[in-house]
Amino acid sequence: MALEMESMASAIGVSVPVLRFLLCFVATIPVSFTHRFVQSPFGKHLYAALSGAFLSYLSFGFSSNLLFLVPMLLGYLSMVLFRPYCGFLTFLLGFGYLIGCHVYYMSGDAWKEGGIDATGALMVLTLKVISCAMSYNDGLLKEEELREAQKKNRLIELPSFIEYVGFCLCCGSHFAGPVFEMKDYLEWTERKGIWAPTEKGPAPSPFGATIQALLQATVCMALYLYLIPHFNISGLNGPAYQEWGFWKRLSYQYMSGFTARWKYYFIWSISEAAVIISGLGFSGWTDTSPSKPKWDRAKNVDVLGVEFAKSSVQLPLVWNIQVSTWLRHCELTSFSKSQLYFQEYETQSVVLTSCAICAAVDVYDRLVQKGKKPGFFQLLATQTTSAVWHGLYPGYIIFFVQSALMIAGSRVLYRWQQAIPSNMNVVKNLLVFISFAYTVLVLNYSAVGFMVLTLQETLALYGSVYYIGTIAPIVLILLGNMIKPAKPSRSKARKEQ
């Protein structure tokens, strides 16, 4: 068996641990499908907990479940013993534990070399544990004190421990997401809410959407396997790279970032298929006639939306969608009753990537003075916190600092676009193209730090293209401070969006 695993791993160019993870990850689809045939709610919770723990054991070994059990217990005990503070307490304990694991395992080194460990799954699990505690915390607050998302997701009663564990490990979603709320998990299990039988008939069939997600996963993996031998980290550090000119180096950096993303597209497409086929991915019906089922709850990425984003502001709406949505709905009143004072456009800008967590939102909220709009400092602090969530590597921190610069530069381009009169479509379209080219350039340039991780390699590779992806946003920010077009009316701006 070991020899077969080694030969299979060698055939597709991955390590044996990564192959084992991939096999277990794909197995979440039949495991999630089988969940549909369990009848009682208790049986469903038990099945979700045991199947999730078993898949973790096969993927990472027995120690992985002990690793996951710590934040799960800390979160549940916080809800049982300290309900008025459980959201804030769970955040502190869960985030602190995650940072400790990052330091101990230094998993970025393993990921960079093609290995894998359980800390990636722990990152997703931490989000779910914190989210559950916050929703339970919100159950104490008066309805008028809550935002709409909090009203929808709050928990009045404490979930049982088996419900809690089932929520954390259901459908193997702790491997790579998507993140969903405890309230939705309970209603899905008990066939309530949008999962309750209605005049529209029985629950919609998930098979069409599942097949679509699997086809997307197949295309993404095929493209990744085709590209990775030609555009990889080794090539960035190879002797040939040093001999190339500026444009070829920049092109290789772009292709390396482009290639790496297809791996994530594949992973999220498999997650999407698993959650859809279980039924949990159902998110309601369209308003069309006849109405059609929607499966947005499981959707984590819009591939074309990422690759053809006209602005970096659009990226959180199409990249790791469920985490970005969770962030925008993060229960800030669990920490503070202060309100955020920023417009929808700026809200979207905060959550550029999948890597930010509630800590980042809390940092952002507390750094904004009441009655004032957030600035670059708040955004930078938010993105730095996001980097720490990934791990204590210089490359992560530099990447997120770069992302803050990228967002700030995009804001300048956005303001200029809005200031162009409607009768100057050529100029407006030119700015749209510049914004698209700017996003492509800075995103893929910045991604180099995320891939190589070390300070020396990151700075060397940035320097090899004359820091163009750092200089471009800084120049835009400076120009934005000098060229300040008149602000359009709010209604007009939103109409243009």
Side-chain angles (χ1 to χ4, degrees):
M1 183 65 178
L3 291 176
E4 292 178 0
M5 290 284 286
E6 289 181 5
S7 61
M8 289 176 60
S10 177
I12 62 175
V14 299
S15 63
V16 172
V18 169
L19 176 61
R20 187 183 302 113
F21 167 78
L22 289 175
L23 292 174
C24 292
F25 192 63
V26 173
T28 60
I29 297 175
V31 168
S32 298
F33 176 69
T34 305
H35 190 283
R36 302 173 66 91
F37 300 100
V38 183
Q39 297 301 315
S40 69
F42 176 81
K44 289 178 179 291
H45 297 310
L46 184 62
Y47 177 82
L50 293 178
S51 61
F54 184 64
L55 288 173
S56 298
Y57 164 73
L58 293 179
S59 299
F60 310 114
F62 179 75
S63 62
S64 64
N65 286 311
L66 297 179
L67 191 74
F68 300 152
L69 189 60
V70 174
M72 290 163 60
L73 286 176
L74 290 174
Y76 198 77
L77 289 175
S78 297
M79 291 191 291
V80 171
L81 301 175
F82 307 103
R83 184 175 186 181
Y85 315 103
C86 63
F88 182 62
L89 188 59
T90 301
F91 155 68
L92 287 179
L93 295 173
F95 193 60
Y97 177 76
L98 177 63
I99 292 175
C101 290
H102 276 315
V103 173
Y104 179 79
Y105 289 101
M106 297 302 288
S107 53
D109 291 335
W111 299 346
K112 181 179 173 182
E113 296 171 2
I116 196 166
D117 60 29
T119 52
L122 181 64
M123 291 163 64
V124 179
L125 186 67
T126 300
L127 293 182
K128 300 177 77 172
V129 167
I130 293 173
S131 175
C132 182
M134 289 180 174
S135 296
Y136 187 56
N137 200 157
D138 285 340
L140 292 176
L141 302 179
K142 296 179 181 179
E143 190 165 332
E144 57 269 20
E145 297 177 351
L146 302 174
R147 294 173 292 111
E148 288 303 315
Q150 291 174 282
K151 293 177 184 178
K152 176 181 178 294
N153 298 322
R154 66 174 178 166
L155 301 171
I156 305 301
E157 298 179 357
L158 177 71
S160 68
F161 187 69
I162 189 62
E163 290 173 337
Y164 176 74
V165 179
F167 160 73
C168 290
L169 304 180
C170 175
C171 301
S173 59
H174 60 300
F175 282 159
V179 176
F180 48 85
E181 296 288 343
M182 169 64 90
K183 185 75 171 292
D184 291 333
Y185 168 77
L186 292 175
E187 289 185 348
W188 165 66
T189 303
E190 299 168 8
R191 295 296 182 262
K192 296 180 180 179
I194 62 172
W195 290 276
T198 64
E199 66 276 3
K200 298 182 186 293
S205 170
F207 298 115
T210 301
I211 292 173
Q212 184 176 347
L214 287 175
L215 288 175
Q216 178 175 286
T218 302
V219 172
C220 292
M221 177 52 73
L223 190 56
Y224 175 74
L225 292 176
Y226 173 76
L227 291 173
I228 193 62
H230 307 288
F231 307 101
N232 49 53
I233 296 176
S234 298
L236 289 169
N237 295 322
Y241 179 87
Q242 305 301 324
E243 298 175 0
W244 293 337
F246 168 79
W247 289 109
K248 191 167 184 179
R249 289 177 178 178
L250 189 62
S251 299
Y252 194 90
Q253 288 191 11
Y254 165 77
M255 287 304 301
S256 296
F258 175 79
T259 300
R261 284 196 293 278
W262 292 93
K263 173 176 62 178
Y264 295 102
Y265 296 155
F266 165 76
I267 291 291
W268 283 329
S269 298
I270 293 295
S271 291
E272 182 178 344
V275 176
I276 286 175
I277 203 167
S278 72
L280 178 58
F282 178 60
S283 56
W285 299 85
T286 65
D287 295 329
T288 59
S289 182
S291 58
K292 298 179 181 179
K294 297 185 294 183
W295 303 95
D296 298 337
R297 191 183 312 279
K299 191 173 184 62
N300 240 354
V301 68
D302 178 350
V303 176
L304 296 181
V306 174
E307 298 303 329
F308 295 100
K310 295 179 181 178
S311 169
S312 62
V313 176
Q314 296 178 355
L315 291 176
L317 306 178
V318 291
W319 174 269
N320 207 352
I321 297 169
Q322 299 307 321
V323 172
S324 295
T325 301
W326 181 84
L327 281 167
R328 290 195 297 275
H329 295 163
C330 190
E331 295 82 350
L332 292 172
T333 51
S334 298
F335 297 109
S336 169
K337 293 184 181 179
S338 62
Q339 298 295 317
L340 291 177
Y341 291 85
F342 49 87
Q343 298 176 359
E344 179 182 1
Y345 175 81
E346 291 165 317
T347 305
Q348 294 170 357
S349 299
V350 176
V351 285
L352 171 66
T353 67
S354 63
C355 313
I357 64 167
C358 190
V361 181
D362 185 46
V363 168
Y364 195 80
D365 182 42
R366 292 176 183 274
L367 291 174
V368 177
Q369 296 180 12
K370 188 173 182 179
K372 295 186 178 181
K373 294 180 181 180
F376 179 72
F377 173 71
Q378 289 83 8
L379 180 60
L380 180 60
T382 300
Q383 297 302 87
T384 302
T385 306
S386 305
V388 174
W389 184 61
H390 255 102
L392 303 181
Y393 284 89
Y396 290 147
I397 296 174
I398 293 173
F399 171 79
F400 284 101
V401 170
Q402 277 287 138
S403 71
L405 289 172
M406 179 170 67
I407 292 170
S410 286
R411 287 176 175 173
V412 174
L413 290 171
Y414 174 80
R415 288 196 297 268
W416 290 349
Q417 288 175 37
Q418 295 305 308
I420 300 298
S422 57
N423 61 349
M424 299 178 64
N425 285 330
V426 174
V427 178
K428 186 180 285 286
N429 290 334
L430 178 61
L431 280 175
V432 170
F433 175 78
I434 291 173
S435 181
F436 165 73
Y438 165 84
T439 299
V440 169
L441 168 67
V442 182
L443 175 63
N444 291 284
Y445 163 92
S446 303
V448 168
F450 196 92
M451 293 187 292
V452 301
L453 297 181
T454 67
L455 178 63
Q456 182 179 359
E457 288 179 292
T458 300
L459 294 180
L461 289 168
Y462 284 179
S464 70
V465 291
Y466 307 109
Y467 299 97
I468 186 172
T470 303
I471 293 172
I474 291 176
V475 169
L476 277 176
I477 293 168
L478 293 176
L479 288 175
N481 288 327
M482 292 185 289
I483 307 172
K484 296 183 178 180
K487 295 182 180 179
S489 65
R490 186 169 181 176
S491 59
K492 182 180 178 182
R494 291 199 169 192
K495 185 176 181 181
E496 290 290 339
Q497 282 184 331

